[in-house]
Amino acid sequence: MLLFSQFTSMLALLEEDLKAEGIPYYILTGSTSKEKRIQLVHQFNEGDVPVFLISLKAGGNGLNLTGADVVIHYDPWWNLAAQNQATDRTHRIGQTRQVTVYRLILKGTIEERILRLQEEKKDLADQILSGESASLASLSQEELLELLG
């Protein structure tokens, strides 16, 4: 399982819980050296350690994590593409299993609002790319303000 968070402080809390439960894990953040990253990825893909905690920024690029078949986004980031890039680390050459992706969203929280913003941003991009919408310039001031929340 890959567990992504945008906050290294959240990964530290999750790390404490995993230690307390005796669950083996790896952790990768922006402070992890290039050599250590390569080592951790190889060990995860080839080994029996069930959990890989990864900061969203550090895990979004250049990793091949086909050892995972579950991806959890612990907290959403406003940029859905960053989350999708992180998820794509499991969909690489060599993946033999179906991958399940979970996004943890609590009702009535900022995460729920971020999710809504992600969806609106994606819908707007899809409309622009498909030619269904002339441009951002065609939106009224109220529509732009609502889009921004």
Side-chain angles (χ1 to χ4, degrees):
M1 162 178 60
L2 305 179
L3 195 150
F4 290 100
S5 175
Q6 63 176 311
F7 301 108
T8 55
S9 57
M10 179 53 70
L11 292 177
L13 293 172
L14 294 167
E15 182 178 23
E16 287 177 25
D17 290 341
L18 291 170
K19 281 181 186 176
E21 294 295 325
I23 299 171
Y25 65 92
Y26 296 120
I27 187 166
L28 188 149
T29 66
S31 64
T32 306
S33 70
K34 182 178 178 183
E35 295 77 21
K36 185 69 173 175
R37 285 173 190 248
I38 294 168
Q39 178 188 6
L40 290 173
V41 167
H42 179 72
Q43 289 173 336
F44 179 77
N45 286 336
E46 301 299 322
D48 294 328
V49 173
V51 180
F52 204 156
L53 303 173
I54 306 176
S55 69
L56 192 59
K57 283 186 177 182
N61 295 342
L63 300 179
N64 182 340
L65 294 164
T66 57
D69 59 2
V70 172
V71 176
I72 297 175
H73 289 283
Y74 193 84
D75 40 46
W77 184 237
W78 68 271
N79 184 355
L80 184 59
Q83 283 180 220
N84 290 342
Q85 267 190 323
T87 297
D88 288 347
R89 303 304 100 204
T90 62
H91 297 288
R92 295 287 184 230
I93 294 173
Q95 180 57 273
T96 59
R97 297 173 284 177
Q98 182 174 345
V99 177
T100 304
V101 180
Y102 299 95
R103 294 188 291 172
L104 303 182
I105 309 294
L106 296 174
K107 186 174 182 171
T109 64
I110 187 70
E111 286 85 4
E112 188 176 41
R113 188 165 177 205
I114 290 171
L115 181 64
R116 200 167 33 253
L117 180 61
Q118 286 177 343
E119 291 168 357
E120 290 171 0
K121 183 179 174 186
K122 181 186 176 306
D123 290 346
L124 178 61
D126 289 347
Q127 288 175 9
I128 291 170
L129 292 174
S130 70
E132 293 176 24
S133 176
S135 70
L136 285 175
S138 68
L139 297 176
S140 70
Q141 182 178 358
E142 291 79 23
E143 289 170 323
L144 283 172
L145 289 173
E146 184 174 324
L147 179 65
L148 297 173

